[in-house]
Amino acid sequence: MAARNGRTVRDLRRANRTAVLQRLYFDGPLSRFELGPATGLSSGSVSNVVADLVADGLVEEAGSVDSDGGRPRTLLRVAPGSGHMIGVDVGETRVRVELFDLTLTELARAEHPLTPQRYEVEAIVGHIRQGITEVLDTAGLAPERLLGVGIGVPGIVERTADRGALVHGQTIGWDAVPLEALLRAGSPPPDTVPYFIDNGAKTLGQAEMWFGAGRGAHNAVVVLFGSGVGASLVTPDVDQGRAVEWGHLTVRVRGRRCRCGALGCLEAYAGAESLLARWRESGGRVPDGADEETALTAMLAAAHPPEGGAPDPVALAVLEETAEYLGAGLSDLINLFQPERILIGGWAGLALGSRFLPAVRRHAMSYALRHPAGKVTVDLGRLGPDAVTVGAAILPLADFFARGGRRPDPAPEYPLPAWRTALQERIPR
C-alpha cells in the first residue's frame, strides 16, 4: 500500500527506524519520552519502533533517570555488539585495516607496510584480503556478521552497474581498476557483506564531520595531506561529501612535474613526496632507505632541532615554502567554496601542523578574498592518523542507518575482463 506522497508503508517504517537509530546513536542514551521531540514521531510510533529495534537486538536499555514526579524513565542506546564494520585505508606507506563495533570502538587492526612498488594492484588486493582475515581472526568474529567493508583509496572512484567500483588513480598507475570485483573474487566476506569504496580524502572528511572537528559545520572542506594532497567538500547540497582533486590545481605554469604527469600541480610542491624531493635537490640530507614518514620526521627535526641546536637552513626554507604553497592552495578552496571551516588531516598534515599551521593560515588569508577569508577558520583535524580508516567504516554504517538497521541484500556478481581474471589468480588468498 502506498502513502499519498508515493512512499509505501514499508518506506515509512524504514524512515522511522532510521530516525530513532540515528538519534540514539548521536545523542543517546535517550528515553522514549525524549525520542518523540528528537525525531518528530508520535509517542505511539516511538514505542512501536523501539520495540522492533529491541527485538532485533539493535537497541538495549542503558539505565534509567528520574522523571518529574513519575516513575523513572528507562534510557535506551544502540547496542554496540549488534553490528560490525571494517575500515581500510590504502595509504602511501601502508594498508591499514581496522575492525569496529557499531559504536566505532576499535576491536582489532592489521597494518601492512608497502614496498617502493607499493601500488601494484595484486599486492594491494592481497594486503586488503589478508588484513580482513587477520582482524576477523583476532576478534573471533564470523565474516557473516559484518555490515560491510569500507575502503578509502587514492584517486577517482566510478560506480558502475556491471563492474562495481572502478578506481581511476592516475598518480599511482591505476586505470579503471575493478577493485570491488577483484576483492569479491575470493575475499573472506560472503556476498551478503557489501564493499563501499571511495576516495580517501572523502572518507577522512566523513570521519571529521561525524566525530571530529567538523561537527556542527554546514560548509566545510577537509584536506588530506599525505604523500600527495586531496580534499573533500561538504555543503548542504553534498552532505555526504564530494572528493575534489585539489592537489592537481595548477599553481605554477611550466613548474615542477607532478606524479600525475602534468606540470605545476599543487601536489608537486605541497605533497610530502615532493617536499622531501625538494629538500634532497637543495642539498638536504634525506635518510637513506627511510620511508616518507621517517624522512619527514627527520626533516622536521633538522629544521627545528632540540634547544641549543642549529637549525638546518635548507630544511627550514623548504618547509616554509611548502607552507606558502599550501596556504595559496587553501585560498583557492576559500574563494571557490566559501566554507566556514577548513580542516587539515593526513599523516603529513598532522606532523607539520603543530609547527606550520600559523604560517599556513597567514598565507591562506593573504591570498584569499577578504570577505570569505573573514568567515573561515583553518584548523587541524581531531581524529589523528586513523581518520581515513574510521571514515571508511562509516560508509557501511551510514548505509545501515539508511536501511533502518536492516542488512543489505547479497551483492551482485561482477565479471572480470580476461586480463583481470589472470591477475586475480595471482593474488594471495
Side-chain angles (χ1 to χ4, degrees):
M1 178 178 177
R4 290 184 180 178
N5 61 3
R7 294 204 301 173
T8 65
V9 172
R10 183 178 179 182
D11 293 334
L12 293 173
R13 287 175 177 165
R14 181 174 62 244
N16 291 348
R17 284 169 62 101
T18 295
V20 170
L21 275 174
Q22 287 184 325
R23 289 285 59 77
L24 287 176
Y25 192 85
F26 290 106
D27 303 327
L30 296 171
S31 67
R32 289 172 177 82
F33 179 79
E34 292 170 312
L35 278 169
T39 60
L41 300 176
S42 68
S43 59
S45 294
V46 168
S47 295
N48 290 335
V49 170
V50 168
D52 286 345
L53 294 173
V54 170
D56 290 344
L58 296 175
V59 168
E60 63 186 15
E61 294 185 0
S64 61
V65 291
D66 293 334
S67 62
D68 296 332
R71 297 190 323 182
R73 290 178 181 146
T74 301
L75 294 176
L76 303 166
R77 68 177 182 184
V78 172
S82 59
H84 300 81
M85 302 81 65
I86 285 178
V88 180
D89 175 11
V90 179
E92 292 97 358
T93 60
R94 63 177 59 85
V95 173
R96 178 181 287 122
V97 182
E98 296 183 54
L99 173 67
F100 302 90
D101 68 14
L102 200 63
T103 58
L104 284 175
T105 298
E106 181 188 319
L107 303 179
R109 74 161 57 198
E111 295 197 359
H112 291 243
L114 300 177
T115 64
Q117 295 77 34
R118 54 186 179 270
Y119 285 116
E120 292 180 0
V121 176
E122 61 266 35
I124 295 296
V125 173
H127 287 318
I128 295 173
R129 284 184 179 170
Q130 188 176 345
I132 291 172
T133 300
E134 288 174 6
V135 296
L136 291 173
D137 289 347
T138 299
L141 187 74
E144 294 77 12
R145 294 182 61 190
L146 289 173
L147 300 177
V149 178
I151 304 172
V153 297
I156 298 169
V157 178
E158 176 189 8
R159 292 167 184 80
T160 65
D162 58 340
R163 297 175 66 193
L166 306 181
V167 182
H168 304 270
Q170 187 168 325
T171 60
I172 60 173
W174 285 20
D175 182 16
V177 170
L179 184 59
E180 183 175 0
L182 288 168
L183 289 167
R184 185 65 67 189
S187 183
D191 290 344
T192 53
V193 178
Y195 284 96
F196 300 85
I197 300 172
D198 217 322
N199 177 272
K202 181 177 172 182
T203 68
L204 170 68
Q206 187 100 17
E208 288 289 350
M209 296 304 292
W210 276 39
F211 302 110
R215 289 200 69 176
H218 296 288
N219 300 276
V221 174
V222 183
V223 169
L224 175 58
F225 181 16
S227 181
V229 291
S232 173
L233 169 68
V234 182
T235 71
D237 298 325
V238 221
D239 58 357
Q240 296 301 315
R242 182 179 74 228
V244 291
E245 291 295 329
W246 173 59
H248 302 289
L249 290 176
T250 302
V251 295
R252 192 164 182 173
V253 177
R254 294 187 295 276
R256 291 177 61 87
R257 187 168 297 280
C258 178
R259 56 183 182 171
C260 75
L263 296 175
C265 293
L266 173 64
E267 190 166 291
Y269 295 91
E273 181 179 295
S274 63
L275 190 159
L276 292 168
R278 289 189 290 118
W279 185 33
R280 183 183 296 109
E281 292 163 8
S282 300
R285 293 187 235 174
V286 181
D288 292 334
D291 62 27
E292 284 183 357
E293 292 188 33
T294 303
L296 186 60
T297 300
M299 185 179 187
L300 284 168
H304 295 277
E307 188 174 349
D312 176 351
V314 175
L316 188 58
V318 172
L319 286 167
E320 289 177 344
E321 183 185 42
T322 300
E324 182 167 6
Y325 274 114
L326 189 58
L330 294 183
S331 75
D332 290 333
L333 296 176
I334 294 170
N335 291 341
L336 285 170
F337 303 117
Q338 301 180 29
E340 59 186 279
R341 295 181 201 174
I342 291 180
L343 306 173
I344 300 174
W347 64 268
L350 296 174
L352 294 171
S354 59
R355 294 187 180 275
F356 288 93
L357 186 59
V360 170
R361 283 196 192 109
R362 185 175 65 253
H363 291 303
M365 298 305 116
S366 68
Y367 283 109
L369 294 170
R370 286 193 303 273
H371 181 70
K375 294 178 175 293
V376 69
T377 60
V378 180
D379 292 298
L380 296 180
R382 293 180 188 163
L383 298 182
D386 290 347
V388 172
T389 319
V390 172
I394 288 175
L395 299 176
L397 178 61
D399 178 75
F400 181 67
F401 284 154
R403 293 175 179 274
R406 306 292 189 191
R407 290 182 177 269
D409 298 326
E413 292 187 9
Y414 297 118
L416 290 168
W419 72 272
R420 291 292 184 194
T421 303
L423 170 64
Q424 187 271 332
E425 291 173 352
R426 302 201 306 270
I427 297 173
R429 288 172 170 75

